[in-house]
Amino acid sequence: MKKQMLIITVLIAALLAISACGGAPAAQPTQPPAQPTQPPAQADGKLAQIRAAGKLIVGTSADYPPYESIDENGNFVGFDMDLIRAIGEKLGVEVEIRDMPFDSLIASLQEGKIDAVIAAMQATAEREEKVDFTIPYRMTKDAFIAAGNTTITMTKPEDAAGLTIGAQTGTVQESWIQKNLVATGLTTADKVFSYERADQAALDLASGRVQLVLMDAEPALELAQKNRLKVLLITETTAEGGKSVAIPEGAADLKAELDRIIQGLIDDGTVKALEEKHGLP
């Protein structure tokens, strides 16, 4: 009996020794969870291309003071022009500005002729089907203006019903007229006039060819002063949103960087200082 117990004890000891040598591996020290990292920069993204070229090519329609115009020396001046140069400085690139009709800006961006658009442009749903937009850098108000000797009075935008009215081609204001006056039957299509340049609309207004022009409030105030016109109504009802920089569709890297820069320029007071410089309310 003792001999059997001795054999069993020896067998158990042997099995334990085998288990210790060839069993489960020893526990490894616990590693801390991996920390999230920023996605790598897109070497072939739009932002990388602009930085590699050392230049941001920007389209505008320089007929819209105090946002954008050309002075007597041929220089681009205005709120938008100063802002895009400040953005370019933050990007670390030169800014090249190209003047073109407002209604060709989106197409030029789609065709790759320019890298961005700054032209007091609002990010509408229709435009966002073709290009992308940054966060707004300024909110929008519109104005109805008339000849200086007009007897027309307005308390709401719909008071424009039935009158001859003009707006710049491709603008939100032109779209509002078509949707809210023409499509509703309040104004016939033959009473609506479209202009390539805002100053052309102001001249027709002064000469009596049209009774009203609808446009951004700030350029309206300046054109009214220069051409002896009358501001009848300032409203937010006809506006769709704030003014933003347009960029190529899908340029996520460029949008992220421009959004960051624009928010920074708002936060540090640069945008407000430029508004005061150019007399924007």
Side-chain angles (χ1 to χ4, degrees), residues 101-114:
F102 186 87
D103 61 352
S104 70
L105 289 168
I106 295 291
S108 295
L109 189 57
Q110 289 179 298
E111 293 164 6
K113 295 178 180 178
I114 53 179

Side-chain angles (χ1 to χ4, degrees), residues 206-244:
S207 67
R209 184 168 182 241
V210 294
Q211 294 169 286
L212 297 173
V213 167
L214 176 60
M215 60 190 301
D216 274 315
E218 296 85 3
L221 293 170
E222 188 152 330
L223 284 175
Q225 184 177 9
K226 288 183 177 180
N227 296 276
R228 297 182 180 179
L229 305 175
K230 183 183 291 186
V231 177
L232 301 183
L233 178 68
I234 294 178
T235 177
E236 294 181 357
T237 304
T238 56
E240 291 196 28
K243 305 180 194 309
S244 301

Side-chain angles (χ1 to χ4, degrees), residues 62 65 68-78 85 222 226:
E68 40 263 333
S69 60
I70 300 174
D71 67 14
E72 61 276 8
N73 297 316
N75 299 314
F76 287 98
V77 295
R85 292 184 181 110
E222 188 152 330
K226 288 183 177 180

Side-chain angles (χ1 to χ4, degrees), residues 3-81:
K3 183 177 181 181
Q4 289 178 344
M5 290 296 296
L6 179 61
I7 293 171
I8 291 171
T9 302
V10 170
L11 287 173
I12 292 173
L15 289 171
L16 290 174
I18 292 170
S19 176
C21 294
Q28 298 297 315
T30 303
Q31 297 292 331
Q35 297 298 315
T37 59
Q38 295 295 328
Q42 295 175 262
D44 58 346
K46 188 64 179 175
L47 177 60
Q49 293 172 12
I50 291 168
R51 283 181 166 153
K55 181 186 297 186
L56 177 68
I57 302 174
V58 181
T60 195
S61 182
D63 61 336
Y64 222 55
Y67 284 98
E68 40 263 333
S69 60
I70 300 174
D71 67 14
E72 61 276 8
N73 297 316
N75 299 314
F76 287 98
V77 295
F79 173 84
D80 280 350
M81 304 294 91

